[in-house]
Amino acid sequence: MFKLEGKRVLLIGLGARGRSACRLLNDCGARVIAVDSDNSEFLKKETDHLVKLGVEVHLGLFKPNVNFLSELDLGVVSVGGVRESKWLFALKKINVPVIGELELGYQQLRCLNIAVTGTNGKTSAAKLIEQLLIASQRDTALAGKVDCPVCDVVSNSKDFDYLTLAVNSFQLELTAFFQPTVGVLMNIDPDHQDHYGGMVKYINAKSRIFSNQQSFDWAIIQSEALAQIRSLGITIPSKIVTFSSSNRRADIYLNRG
């Protein structure tokens, strides 16, 4: 886990999740430099409050600036910042550890979490889980999406029984210790191939939702997605429950007829 107080942190990507990460880093006592290639009037307005908080904001930067890379302790990347590959390459070249905003928020959480991913249906499934928990009188909130980044709920997380998360492959590929108590993988279909350049890297990114789980955690996986993961030799350390609408051998089989 990363200790943030007094650390010099570079935040890449100032979309909604990036701005949320900036606020959390600032609250934790980090010294934040935030960069984005966008230089629109909208983003200038959206980052005004960060400047007032003491965040060093730089917009319209397409290439890494060596002045911002010196004496860094950590790099944090938002989903939008994933495509700022030149910055990521520069951080890796100087051996600065890099995590995503999901990992940043997770490390500061004070509750367990149920995380849902998949090419299709992750948000709908996460919303359903949230409502089931609420109906069972469990305290939860739905986070991870643009309208409610995980970093925004950290301060209230000690009041939750579980945090329900909808997460995507870009967030997962920049995790280090992220460990959902229950990880749900809806499906894996071709997507974001311009970024991953093939299904192997995409499947690897999706499977990271399970990589830090322990034997007492749960992995709920579409049986077809599990076959894709196992075809790459990836093992899942937690207890597995499969579901499918086409595979009768799945633990949970839905006969659509």
Side-chain angles (χ1 to χ4, degrees), residues 52-65:
K52 293 176 181 177
L53 290 174
V55 176
E56 188 179 326
V57 175
H58 299 274
L59 303 179
L61 292 180
F62 292 91
K63 297 180 180 179
N65 185 313

Side-chain angles (χ1 to χ4, degrees), residues 37-215:
S37 58
D38 187 8
N39 194 28
S40 64
E41 290 301 318
F42 171 80
L43 190 56
K44 288 178 182 178
K45 291 179 181 178
E46 290 295 311
T47 55
D48 276 348
H49 72 285
L50 297 176
V51 175
K52 293 176 181 177
L53 290 174
V55 176
E56 188 179 326
V57 175
H58 299 274
L59 303 179
L61 292 180
F62 292 91
K63 297 180 180 179
N65 185 313
V66 292
N67 295 325
F68 303 154
L69 295 171
S70 63
E71 299 181 354
L72 284 176
D73 297 296
L74 177 66
V76 177
V77 185
S78 74
V79 169
V82 167
R83 299 187 184 280
E84 307 280 0
S85 57
K86 292 181 180 178
W87 284 97
L88 295 179
F89 179 78
L91 288 172
K92 291 177 181 178
K93 190 174 181 179
I94 59 176
N95 296 317
V96 172
V98 178
I99 60 173
E101 48 81 32
L102 172 64
E103 177 70 22
L104 173 68
Y106 166 75
Q107 291 192 19
Q108 304 300 319
L109 286 178
R110 296 296 179 264
C111 66
L112 301 174
N113 76 88
I114 298 171
V116 186
T117 194
T119 307
N120 303 293
K122 58 181 171 288
T123 303
S124 299
K127 287 180 178 178
L128 178 58
I129 291 170
E130 177 198 27
Q131 292 306 309
L132 287 170
L133 288 172
I134 292 171
S136 300
Q137 299 183 339
R138 298 291 191 272
D139 289 326
T140 188
L142 176 60
K145 301 294 287 181
V146 172
D147 55 353
C148 187
V150 61
C151 292
D152 274 353
V153 299
V154 165
S155 60
N156 298 324
S157 62
K158 64 181 182 299
D159 298 324
F160 298 142
D161 295 307
Y162 298 93
L163 181 63
T164 305
L165 292 168
V167 300
N168 61 40
S169 59
F170 298 128
Q171 292 171 300
L172 289 168
E173 69 176 279
L174 290 169
T175 54
F177 300 104
F178 180 63
Q179 179 188 347
T181 302
V182 180
V184 181
L185 176 54
M186 300 299 295
N187 44 58
I188 303 177
D189 291 319
D191 198 12
H192 304 304
Q193 294 303 289
D194 58 330
H195 174 76
Y196 291 105
M199 285 298 290
V200 172
K201 289 184 178 179
Y202 184 53
I203 294 169
N204 270 287
K206 285 295 188 187
S207 67
R208 286 186 64 81
I209 193 171
F210 307 118
S211 60
N212 292 316
Q213 286 190 313
Q214 301 297 312
S215 59

